[in-house]
Amino acid sequence: MTRGCVQGSACGPTMWNIILDELLQTELPEGCHIQAFADDVLMIVTASDVSTLESRTNTALKTATQWGAGVKLTFGPNKTQLIAFTPKAKTADILMDGTVLKFTKEIKLLGVILDEKLLFRSHVRYITEKAMRIFQRLCLYVRPTWGAHSGNVSIIYHGVIEPIITYAAGIWGHAAKKKCNRKTLERAQRGFALRTIKGFRTVSTTAALALAQFTPLDLKVLEVANVERTRLLGTTDLLPEDIELEKQTPVHQLLHPATRISIPLLLADSQEKADTFIKIDTIAIFTDGSKRETGEVGAAFICCDPEATVPVIKKKFKLHSSCSVYQAELFAICRACEWAVAHKYPHTVIYTDSLSSIKSIQNRSNTHPIASRIHHVLQQSLHPIEFVWVKNHVGIAGNEAADVAAGGASRLHKAPEYAKFPLTYAKTLYKKDARISWQNRYISAEQGAHTRKLLPRLEELLRESSGLYRWWGLKETVVS
């Protein structure tokens, strides 16, 4: 490399990736791991004793500096931070380009402050102060004369403050259980709650959070951390181990763009319109998915084949209760496609009342596992398969029959044929779990006795506060 790229240039990131890949692929000593994000390079070294730690780290740093010299890059020892997570590791002598590196008590990596004891106290203080600064700036744009409106404060809190504080909660979220961090988060959240309810300083934190309907930040952080852990591990403690997370299909497993099929959207809003798509040698298949209030999920399709021994064929499929209606609709379409391909029908028309499912199938780059499976089936089919979106409950006989069949499939007593939960289901469970923990804390708290006496449950507070906001908005409209 003999020339550099201007900072902020269009080709700069690509050139940097090409160069840095050599470092990431360089062979390092055992126990050494290196990773990078943009121009931040992180090296992690583990060893059972101090001497081995020194040897591995110094060797890895020497390899990195030699690589840098080969591509005309210099790693500055004065800009390199070193942190140890055990007392023995602090005694190691680490050298970089002949300079002794000193250990620091904490480092900042991608917006997260890591301390040597992994207590994350500094990080919690940092993010709360950062959130307050951003909030003060945003308040300048919302009614600065009389102060920010309660509704605007709530919007800013949920849309800006919470994401800032819960950022990277999967890394430090467990530290929210510590009393010191919980108190820091509570003090910061109290100010936002008081501004939202326009309360006096004498209002307790318990009452302020309940009236503002702000989930305590420590519970919110734990909720986000659990979701991130579920995303990484693919399982959740709230479901059996054999029920796994539905993960997206890797891009390299999708069909090649040149072989992907474009699917037009056809519409049928009446029985007459639905019949126009059926021609000679055409097989009509109606699909549907169902999820009952009790949680049972089922999918089904009805194949209308006049030439078969049984003109109307019904196929029912049981899905796990954690699955969504969207998954059930896609699963029914997928099985209908497989059925049509297996029986080599000359022309197949698949009817569904799920517009979201058809839109997903139309997306040629969709990574949803069921949608990508449908793409593979359609690509293997030797005969055309068309999709028609029918409006629900408009008198189309096949769609009504498929709806009844899907409802019956949800009540089947057998092992589910599809048992992968979406991430949204885990989010719902963790949010519900946080709500229960908050309710228990609200009941047992020493403060907020008067508010708790009037409204003992958080659900009542939510209902009453919603009515109050509607009344206040009506009053403002009448006055103006």
Side-chain angles (χ1 to χ4, degrees), residues 2-53:
T2 58
R3 294 290 187 273
C5 294
V6 179
Q7 187 172 4
S9 63
C11 62
T14 303
M15 293 294 295
W16 175 249
N17 288 336
I18 294 174
I19 295 172
L20 197 63
D21 278 346
E22 297 180 4
L23 177 61
L24 299 178
Q25 297 173 5
T26 302
E27 185 176 354
L28 298 175
E30 183 182 359
C32 297
H33 172 72
I34 189 171
Q35 67 182 58
F37 182 86
D39 59 345
D40 289 332
V41 181
L42 172 68
M43 181 181 294
I44 302 174
V45 184
T46 59
S48 58
D49 55 84
V50 177
S51 60
T52 306
L53 180 65

Side-chain angles (χ1 to χ4, degrees), residues 281-287 301-305 313 315 317 331-351 373-374 376-387:
D281 296 332
T282 297
I283 304 301
I285 301 180
F286 292 86
T287 67
F301 72 79
I302 294 180
C303 180
C304 303
D305 187 356
I313 301 172
K315 293 293 181 180
F317 314 99
F331 189 80
I333 294 175
C334 182
R335 287 303 178 91
C337 291
E338 294 174 346
W339 176 271
V341 172
H343 287 75
K344 300 179 181 180
Y345 293 133
H347 181 228
T348 305
V349 178
I350 297 179
Y351 297 85
R373 172 59 184 166
I374 294 175
H376 281 83
V377 174
L378 294 177
Q379 195 267 341
Q380 296 171 1
S381 177
L382 301 177
H383 304 284
I385 298 177
E386 294 183 317
F387 296 88

Side-chain angles (χ1 to χ4, degrees), residues 153-204:
V153 174
S154 180
I155 292 173
I156 293 174
Y157 174 80
H158 289 293
V160 180
I161 304 303
E162 266 192 0
I164 289 175
I165 293 179
T166 57
Y167 167 73
I171 302 297
W172 67 274
H174 64 280
K177 298 179 181 179
K178 298 184 180 298
K179 186 176 181 180
C180 58
N181 292 332
R182 175 181 166 183
K183 291 295 182 184
T184 303
L185 294 172
E186 191 177 81
R187 284 194 298 269
Q189 191 179 25
R190 171 182 168 82
F192 298 111
L194 289 177
R195 286 182 175 89
T196 300
I197 66 174
K198 298 293 183 180
F200 294 105
R201 294 180 180 271
T202 54
V203 177
S204 66

